[in-house]
């Protein structure tokens, strides 16, 4: 069997997000946390996703990391490459998406790259080449204030041309509305005009499916998880059933390290229904015995409903803690305590972790030495259960704003005897 897609994702939760969108069409997806040093069994994989941490680093470094990943994926026999970035086109002021795309164009000798960040199911749409988040222009959506990748312009053609070497054309919504043949013609026209990049409008899932049908084999694919999901939907595989579902035996622990609005709601909801403990943030910073105390608390709870430890607080409280201890110091202390606790408790029978927070998840996976995982059933769009490639360990890793208030309970409904 050939690996249909080899995906280079510029961050960790983005990698899980795209993996999950393909898995919903029955694709067997393996996600690797960085480039593996040893061999990995990819015999049954339809897609392989390598998660990098390249979104916010310098462009040169992002290119070097992506080069390494793309060569590894090609060596493994991936039929085509896909560069996954955020559906809000997050890029630094120097711009990483352009340079990485230029590198991959040269590497694969593709004549043109498709740029398709749209993810209509999550409110990310592109119209007249402009990116919208829940109906608001990208630069008026809150993303203009992002601390690392502020997006001040919603015109993707302009943003791309500022970052990259070549010029950019548009496949408009009107063309998509005319169907596959019109899109094929438009892409050929742009290529003849010497365009290196084609931004594709998309307002609905149907638009993504039309694009998936029309894509020539030789173009480079770049974008969000929507297009990859549409490609998988057009070539569905038999369902994986319960192959990677978590076992009901063993304990589960919920660790909430996100302070997003949605995680606050999820914590407030779950706290009323299961054993819960609010993390004492000050003790994270200065009490060496705190971890052992937390571990003992977890192990003395009934295993019936997963206990939850949460650092999650409303924004005003977080701000006060950050002012008192420093943003970096407090964030890092919490992340490291959660990761160390996960490692300790994994050694004591906790085989399932439900984690809220992108950075929090990334460090936990790293400290648990998870080289990669297989993607299981979707709990909520973009968040699947995943199973470690080498041992019976399951993870549900949610970036802050994903899911609804029932998420923690819902995740526990996927266990199998
Ligand atoms: P999200 O996906 O919502 O962005 P992350 O895990 O990526 O979540 O980031 C949340 C950051 O906030 C982490 O560094 C975490 O340690 C930190 N944090 C969590 N709780 C608190 C708190 N009560 N006070 C200050 N920082 C916190």
């Amino acid at each position: 069997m050939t690996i249909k897609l080899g995906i280079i994702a510029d961050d960790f939760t983005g990698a899980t997000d795209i993996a999950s969108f393909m898995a919903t069409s029955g694709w067997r997806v393996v996600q690797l946390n960085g480039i593996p040093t040893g061999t990995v069994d990819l015999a049954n994989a339809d897609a392989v996703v390598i998660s990098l941490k390249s979104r916010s680093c310098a462009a040169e470094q992002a290119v070097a990391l992506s080069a390494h990943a793309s060569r590894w994926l090609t060596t493994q026999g991936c039929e085509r490459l896909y560069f996954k970035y955020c559906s809000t086109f997050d890029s630094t002021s120097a711009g990483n998406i352009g340079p990485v795309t230029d590198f991959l164009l040269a590497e694969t000798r593709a004549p043109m790259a498709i740029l398709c960040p749209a993810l209509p199911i999550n409110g990310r749409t592109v119209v007249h080449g402009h990116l919208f988040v829940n109906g608001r222009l990208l630069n008026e959506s809150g993303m203009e204030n992002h601390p690392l990748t502020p997006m001040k312009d919603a015109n993707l053609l302009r943003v791309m041309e500022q970052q990259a070497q070549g010029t950019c054309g548009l496949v408009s919504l009107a063309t998509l509305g005319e169907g596959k043949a019109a899109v094929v013609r438009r892409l050929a026209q742009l290529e003849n005009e010497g365009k290196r990049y084609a931004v594709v409008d998309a307002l609905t899932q149907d638009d993504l499916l039309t694009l998936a049908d029309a894509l020539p084999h030789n173009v480079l694919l770049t974008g969000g998880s929507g297009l990859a999901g549409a490609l998988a939907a057009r070539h569905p595989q038999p369902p994986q059933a319960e192959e990677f579902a978590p076992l009901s035996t063993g304990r589960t622990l919920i660790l909430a390290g996100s302070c997003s609005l949605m995680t606050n709601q999820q914590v407030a909801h779950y706290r009323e229904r299961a054993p819960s403990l609010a993390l004492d943030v000050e003790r994270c910073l200065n009490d060496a015995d705190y971890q052992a105390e937390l571990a003992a608390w977890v192990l003395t709870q009934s295993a019936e409903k997963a206990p939850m430890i949460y650092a999650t607080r409303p924004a005003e409280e977080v701000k006060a803690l950050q002012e008192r201890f420093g943003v970096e110091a407090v964030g890092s202390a919490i992340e490291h305590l959660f990761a160390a606790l996960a490692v300790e408790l994994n050694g004591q029978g906790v085989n399932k972790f439900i984690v809220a927070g992108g950075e929090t998840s990334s460090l936990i996976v790293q400290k648990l030495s998870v080289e990669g995982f297989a993607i299981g059933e979707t709990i909520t769009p973009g968040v699947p259960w995943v199973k470690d490639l080498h041992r019976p360990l399951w993870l549900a890793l949610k970036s802050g704003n994903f899911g609804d208030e029932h998420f923690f309970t819902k995740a526990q409904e996927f266990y199998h005897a």
Side-chain angles (χ1 to χ4, degrees):
M1 198 170 103
T2 52
I3 305 170
K4 299 179 192 56
L5 282 184
I7 295 171
I8 302 153
D10 69 354
D11 93 330
F12 177 76
T13 37
T16 314
D17 171 25
I18 194 167
S20 152
F21 272 90
M22 295 181 289
T24 52
S25 292
W27 281 28
R28 280 166 175 71
V29 187
V30 171
Q31 181 177 330
L32 300 166
N33 303 311
I35 298 134
T37 42
T39 52
V40 184
D41 180 9
L42 301 174
N44 292 317
D46 294 294
V48 180
V49 185
I50 292 190
S51 69
L52 300 176
K53 209 172 173 4
S54 56
R55 182 170 299 167
S56 323
C57 63
E60 249 171 42
Q61 202 188 343
V63 169
L65 287 166
S66 308
H68 191 180
S70 69
R71 287 172 186 150
W72 189 89
L73 288 165
T74 305
T75 313
Q76 305 307 308
C78 293
E79 266 180 12
R80 53 192 319 188
L81 295 179
Y82 191 117
F83 173 35
K84 157 74 170 69
Y85 40 79
C86 192
S87 57
T88 41
F89 211 78
D90 300 17
S91 39
T92 59
S93 55
N96 287 354
I97 295 177
V100 171
T101 303
D102 281 336
F103 167 82
L104 292 173
L105 276 169
E107 182 82 356
T108 57
R109 302 201 181 143
M112 197 167 67
I114 300 293
L115 270 62
C116 181
L119 184 59
I121 194 175
N122 282 354
R124 273 63 160 172
T125 52
V126 180
V127 181
H128 298 304
H130 287 66
L131 183 50
F132 291 80
V133 179
N134 296 324
R136 307 181 69 150
L137 278 167
L138 178 67
N139 56 315
E140 297 171 13
S141 69
M143 276 304 293
E144 69 276 21
N145 298 321
H146 191 285
L148 302 175
T149 53
M151 299 304 294
K152 309 270 188 201
D153 189 356
N155 182 327
L156 295 179
L157 285 80
R158 206 157 44 206
V159 173
M160 189 61 178
E161 286 186 353
Q162 274 162 9
Q163 300 186 1
Q165 302 288 321
T167 54
C168 197
L170 175 70
V171 180
S172 71
L173 213 50
T175 306
L176 283 151
E178 288 170 37
K180 174 184 165 180
V183 177
V184 171
R185 275 197 306 276
R186 178 64 180 153
L187 288 171
Q189 185 190 6
L190 291 176
E191 192 186 324
N192 286 335
E193 288 171 7
K195 303 285 190 220
R196 292 285 275 162
Y197 326 102
V199 167
V200 185
D201 280 353
L203 194 54
T204 63
Q205 176 66 10
D206 279 347
D207 295 327
L208 293 178
L209 291 169
T210 303
L211 175 61
D213 289 340
L215 283 173
H217 227 79
N218 59 350
V219 292
L220 174 68
L221 305 178
T222 84
S225 37
L227 178 57
L231 283 166
R234 283 305 197 219
H235 304 279
Q237 300 295 315
Q240 302 179 35
E242 293 154 13
E243 204 176 333
F244 305 119
L247 286 180
S248 57
T249 49
R251 283 178 175 271
T252 307
L253 174 62
I254 300 173
L255 294 170
S258 160
C259 296
S260 68
L261 280 179
M262 183 44 74
T263 304
N264 267 287
Q265 284 177 34
Q266 288 159 340
V267 165
H269 187 265
Y270 192 76
R271 186 167 64 189
E272 302 298 319
R273 291 161 178 80
S276 303
L277 191 152
L279 199 73
D280 182 333
V281 173
E282 191 166 351
R283 290 187 69 191
C284 287
L285 284 139
N286 56 26
D287 184 346
D289 298 328
Y290 194 34
Q291 181 184 324
E293 204 177 293
L294 293 171
W297 177 80
V298 171
L299 294 173
T300 50
Q301 304 308 308
S302 139
E304 203 181 316
K305 266 208 150 184
M308 169 174 74
I309 302 181
Y310 60 98
T312 310
R313 299 283 188 284
E316 333 66 80
E317 283 183 45
V318 174
K319 198 157 173 268
L321 285 161
Q322 287 175 332
E323 275 165 13
R324 194 163 153 215
F325 299 112
V327 177
E328 240 327 282
V330 69
S332 167
I334 295 169
E335 287 174 27
H336 279 87
L337 180 65
F338 274 164
L341 190 62
V343 171
E344 178 175 346
L345 287 169
N346 183 227
Q348 300 196 55
V350 177
N351 60 357
K352 299 175 284 289
F353 292 91
I354 300 170
V355 184
E359 291 300 320
T360 309
S361 296
S362 176
L363 194 71
I364 288 176
V365 162
Q366 190 189 324
K367 295 289 177 192
L368 280 168
S369 305
V370 176
E371 187 179 49
F373 37 69
I375 307 295
E377 289 173 277
T378 297
I379 305 164
T380 196
V383 191
W385 268 108
V386 303
K387 180 179 183 298
D388 185 291
L389 289 179
H390 306 300
R391 60 198 154 141
L393 168 66
W394 289 267
L395 303 155
L397 308 166
K398 182 191 92 69
S399 76
N401 273 320
F402 279 46
D404 65 13
E405 65 176 4
H406 303 282
F407 178 81
F408 295 137
T409 307
K410 204 171 162 204
Q412 294 172 61
E413 288 164 3
F414 285 76
Y415 300 168
H416 289 280

